[in-house]
Amino acid sequence: GASSFTTVTEIVNPGSGNPTAQWLFVESNASGAYSWSMNTNGSSGGYAFVLEISGIDPSSVLDIPSDSDYGSTTAVTLAGSIANTKPNDLVLVAVSVAGTSNTITADSPTDWEQVGTTDIGGFQTMAVFMRKETGVETFSFAATLGSASGWVAQSLVVKGS
């Protein structure tokens, strides 16, 4: 079967010692094995979480535009600015924190599941959280860092079928 490859164009790079974040996704209806390589263009680090998601709307992967925010305290907050259009959307939130060995703990609402975390190349901590929406709504995400540091958070709202 045919595959289409799409890159989400928004890159969050707030500067001032904060890390950057970018969502990339591949939409495919092909079966079989896949391989993927990543070129960091000579930068000193980079990391990718690979998530396989089923049950998405076949007409469009994304439901609404992504949202992002950044800061430098222990409080990470991100709120959707637009309501999703389907009650069973999957919201993903990536949080990147300057510095290593920092904890990132989801606060409220409590139904966010952490699906990955890592220290990246000795200079950054990253975590990905997900939550299945239960209605047409705007999402909110809050987390607490183990210590104050520059952070960036970015959402990706995947349209449910």
Side-chain angles (χ1 to χ4, degrees):
S3 298
S4 64
F5 299 91
T6 305
T7 302
V8 175
T9 57
E10 182 176 0
I11 299 175
V12 181
N13 185 358
S16 301
N18 290 56
T20 60
Q22 180 180 20
W23 281 108
L24 304 171
F25 67 89
V26 175
E27 174 186 6
S28 176
N29 58 4
S31 61
Y34 296 91
S35 64
W36 178 56
S37 60
M38 181 173 78
N39 181 349
T40 60
N41 291 322
S43 65
S44 60
Y47 195 84
F49 288 100
V50 178
L51 307 170
E52 183 177 359
I53 303 169
S54 61
I56 63 173
D57 187 315
S59 65
S60 174
V61 172
L62 299 181
D63 187 7
I64 57 175
S66 65
D67 283 288
S68 61
D69 204 354
Y70 60 93
S72 59
T73 66
T74 59
V76 176
T77 57
L78 183 62
S81 59
I82 301 171
N84 58 314
T85 64
K86 298 194 108 176
N88 57 345
D89 283 356
L90 180 66
V91 181
L92 300 169
V93 173
V95 180
S96 295
V97 182
T100 60
S101 302
N102 206 332
T103 58
I104 306 168
T105 306
D107 295 332
S108 173
T110 58
D111 54 353
W112 286 95
E113 178 185 350
Q114 188 170 358
V115 294
T117 186
T118 190
D119 282 341
I120 303 171
F123 65 92
Q124 186 174 332
T125 303
M126 184 172 182
V128 176
F129 297 86
M130 71 176 191
R131 175 178 173 227
K132 185 82 165 196
E133 296 292 84
T134 58
V136 174
E137 58 189 308
T138 56
F139 74 90
S140 64
F141 173 82
T144 301
L145 303 179
S147 59
S149 188
W151 59 265
V152 62
Q154 186 175 17
S155 67
L156 186 72
V157 180
V158 179
K159 188 185 289 187
S161 59

